[in-house]
Amino acid sequence: MDHFTYRDGRLHAEEVTIAAIAAEVGTPVYVYSRATLQRHFHVLREAFQGIDPLICYAVKANANLAVIHTLAALGAGADVVSGGELRSALAAGVPAGRIVFSGVGKTADEMAAALQAGVCQINVESVPELEVLSAVAMSLGRSAPVAIRINPDVDANTHAKITTGRREDKFGIEWTAAHAVCAAAAALPGIDLRGVACHIGSQLTGLEPFRQAFMRLRDLVVMLRADGHAIHSLDLGGGLGIPYGCEDGPVPAPAAYAEVVRETVGAIECRLILEPGRLLVGNAGVLVTRVLYVKEGATRTFVIVDAAMNDLIRPALYGAFHAIVPAIAADPAVETRPVDVVGPVCESSDTFGRDRALAPVAAGDLLVVRTAGAYAATMASTYNARALVPEVMVSGERFAVVRDRGTIDDLLARQRIPTWSSDDAAVTVGAVT
Ligand code: LLP
């Protein structure tokens, strides 16, 4: 459930109309609902009552400080995958002791920053990474709290680009090698091996892959303990899917997911860590965009809006479905017709939705792309020299801009033309003439 609802025919984010935000902040704009973030966190925590895992919000889903801060205030930790995300989590108030550092390619500098901050766990994904971490820890005179990320060779049955737990994926250490790798880890100075981790993919709409992976993890913990390793932490990753609208089937409820956790690893006597991203923030955000033109093409009608694939790349990159609704509800008596909602970027992939049944819209109308709280603003780029979109957070009747709109001045200010460039141009021109 989220807090984006129509009242008197106008779409609201909590108590504020989308139209009011667009009028004040302009479009395109991302709008987040704080109450929705809080609700999602509570639902997840309640599902796990009695187990009380450390819920480390996967910052990559939405790294806005106000979003992280909202979750941190409820007791969330953070799962970070870069030095930048580490700084974001700390800046938003997540205690270092609740931060897990994941990722397949951490640099030595990032490892040092994590150790200096005092993160609770570093999830290591290869033997060379272990060796570098050992050297970094020794140079700082510290011991690195390590979990080995296992690749359990389980197909998550999700989009190929976001499945991570099959043998052929770049993630984790092949589960059959866990025994040898953990022995190597235990022998390295500066490494405190204390846990096992896995993450098999994102937007999972079935529970069976989780069950298979968690059973494998349980067996591994038993085996590693028999080898003499003190394993007290078990990180189950993220990945639980969310509903995106009419084109997807039902997704498992957090309570059903928690049941799978209970049944598989509930009795293992480890501190459990979860790394949910999308589940917490996905339906807590929308992208608000304005119609620029309605163009009657030869075979289709195009609704051209001011947001584009650089602002929200999921439809272009994964063929993802996002519901698109008007900010002012259409009269139900008016017939809808199929239109393509497209952005201004010069690629046909810049399409938010094809054949969407919308009541007629006109230039100036506001459309709202739903479920844009996760992997949306965080994946934005400045392609086509388009400035980054601002972000707004709503809480009840209040709203605040929580990231300013980027400026073209800023884009240009970060670039320079080398002094010798004009000389080369002169030579080239000379050669041609
Ligand atoms: N933990 C690790 C180690 C991860 O790699 C991820 C996501 C998560 C947790 C959080 O997964 P979630 O609960 O959000 O499913 N850009 C893609 C999704 C990429 C997910 C990458 N890893 C998308 O827009 O669908």
Side-chain angles (χ1 to χ4, degrees), residues 319-337:
F321 180 91
H322 286 256
I324 302 171
V325 297
I328 308 292
D331 178 349
V334 175
E335 223 175 289
T336 62
R337 60 179 181 147

Side-chain angles (χ1 to χ4, degrees), residues 58 60 79 149 162 199 202 239 275 277-278 314 318 375 379:
K60 63 171 77 66
D79 161 50
R149 176 169 172 181
I162 53 175
H199 170 78
S202 194
E275 299 173 351
R278 191 190 314 264
R314 301 193 71 260
Y318 313 114
Y375 305 111
M379 295 180 76

